[in-house]
């Protein structure tokens, strides 16, 4: 489009006029190819961040620019965009700060590593990397970094004997209606917060389906 402004700060990739013309020429589906060229990004981890932004903030490309302080969520996303491009150490071409953490997280998940094991591996890896490397020091810090990319879940108290959930009309109950077991553990002299014996973690399906349709890499398969 003539005089179109590329929104590179919002994840849009600049495509030169010459490259766009080369993409369109000789094609029977020019609109499709133009869309593909405009979204051709060789950094999959930047794409991962942009998918999360679209999921949590709506269609960012249609939002007006407003001069104001960025809120906490926006700041986290911009930090992640920076991390997706910043090399793991100066001169590194294989990994960014984000890609390194994401891949170690995948290894932890695939092989069932406990947090202590994760931390030991990271401690060893950092010792053999170049000085000044940007690999996150431990699981807790890495988890905080990756959290904005994930999909949330809901904690629901439940009977430790699996009789019922303290949910909806039963949310205020303090004893199981079936077995009579207490919902909460006995309070200690120091503890003021009620702690449930058992919790269920519910992963809502709707936002996960939405995420699959938001991502250009999976939307085609979902359709």
């Amino acid at each position: 489009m003539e005089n179109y402004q590329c929104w590179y700060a919002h994840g849009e990739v600049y495509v030169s006029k010459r490259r766009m013309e080369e993409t369109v020429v000789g094609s029977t589906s020019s609109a499709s190819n133009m869309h593909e060229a405009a979204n051709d990004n060789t950094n999959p981890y930047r794409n991962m961040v942009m998918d999360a932004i679209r999921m949590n903030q709506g269609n960012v490309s249609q939002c007006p620019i407003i001069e104001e302080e960025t809120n906490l969520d926006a700041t986290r996303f911009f930090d992640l965009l920076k991390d997706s491009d910043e090399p793991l150490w100066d001169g590194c071409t294989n990994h960014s700060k984000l890609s390194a953490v994401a891949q170690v997280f995948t290894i932890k998940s695939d092989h069932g590593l406990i947090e202590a094991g994760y931390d030991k591996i990271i401690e060893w890896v950092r010792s053999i990397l170049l000085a000044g490397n940007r690999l996150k020091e431990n699981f807790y810090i890495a988890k905080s970094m990756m959290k904005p990319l994930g999909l949330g879940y809901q904690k629901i108290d439940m009977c430790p004997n699996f009789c019922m959930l303290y949910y909806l009309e039963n949310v205020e109950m303090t004893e199981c209606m079936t077995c009579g077991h207490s919902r909460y553990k006995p309070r200690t002299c120091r503890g003021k917060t009620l702690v449930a014996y058992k919790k269920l973690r519910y992963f809502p399906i709707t936002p996960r389906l939405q995420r699959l349709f938001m991502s250009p890499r999976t939307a085609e398969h979902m359709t």
Side-chain angles (χ1 to χ4, degrees):
M1 294 176 59
E2 188 176 358
N3 300 322
Y4 178 77
Q5 177 66 40
C6 177
W7 287 37
Y8 62 90
H10 293 263
E12 194 173 47
V13 181
Y14 177 75
V15 182
S16 67
K17 184 176 180 181
R18 178 180 177 183
R19 181 183 169 195
M20 187 68 78
E21 290 172 348
E22 290 174 351
T23 303
V24 175
V25 171
S27 171
T28 58
S29 179
S30 59
S32 175
N33 283 340
M34 287 171 68
H35 175 77
E36 183 177 345
N39 287 280
D40 180 18
N41 191 337
T42 57
N43 185 342
Y45 295 93
R46 186 179 178 87
N47 289 337
M48 181 169 64
V49 177
M50 294 307 299
D51 291 342
I53 291 177
R54 282 191 288 267
M55 178 68 204
N56 291 285
Q57 304 294 335
N59 189 344
V60 294
S61 65
Q62 295 179 359
C63 296
I65 298 177
I66 302 174
E67 296 294 335
E68 62 179 17
E69 291 284 336
T70 55
N71 61 38
L72 183 59
D73 287 337
T75 300
R76 287 171 178 164
F77 280 127
F78 283 120
D79 287 344
L80 280 169
L81 283 175
K82 178 182 176 182
D83 291 341
S84 70
D85 293 325
E86 189 173 4
L88 190 57
W89 66 83
D90 294 337
C92 177
T93 58
N94 296 327
H95 288 289
S96 66
K97 287 173 64 176
L98 182 61
S99 71
V101 172
Q103 292 191 31
V104 179
F105 258 56
T106 300
I107 293 172
K108 179 186 184 302
S109 176
D110 288 348
H111 299 280
L113 292 178
I114 62 174
E115 293 184 20
Y118 179 99
D119 290 346
K120 281 294 184 182
I121 291 174
I122 293 299
E123 181 182 355
W124 174 73
V125 171
R126 283 172 56 85
S127 71
I128 63 175
L129 289 178
L130 295 177
N133 70 82
R134 302 178 180 92
L135 185 62
K136 296 299 182 180
E137 293 87 344
N138 54 51
F139 178 76
Y140 178 80
I141 298 175
K143 184 178 179 181
S144 298
M145 171 188 175
M146 298 292 289
K147 187 176 181 180
L149 293 176
L151 291 163
Y153 57 86
Q154 183 179 357
K155 292 182 180 179
I156 303 174
D157 292 351
M158 65 182 296
C159 172
N161 296 321
F162 304 97
C163 302
M164 63 170 288
L165 298 176
Y166 295 98
Y167 186 61
L168 296 179
E169 67 274 8
N170 300 323
V171 71
E172 300 295 336
M173 295 182 64
T174 58
E175 292 183 355
C176 177
M177 65 173 66
T178 301
C179 69
H181 196 289
S182 174
R183 174 178 179 176
Y184 300 110
K185 297 178 181 179
R187 288 187 178 183
T188 63
C189 56
R190 294 182 180 179
K192 295 182 179 180
T193 303
L194 291 171
V195 178
Y197 276 99
K198 200 170 192 67
K199 288 182 179 289
L200 174 142
R201 287 169 174 80
Y202 170 57
F203 297 82
I205 186 65
T206 301
R208 283 157 177 79
L209 290 173
Q210 290 173 334
R211 174 68 69 85
L212 288 169
F213 278 103
M214 283 283 182
S215 172
R217 297 177 300 284
T218 52
E220 181 179 355
H221 300 294
M222 292 299 293
T223 303

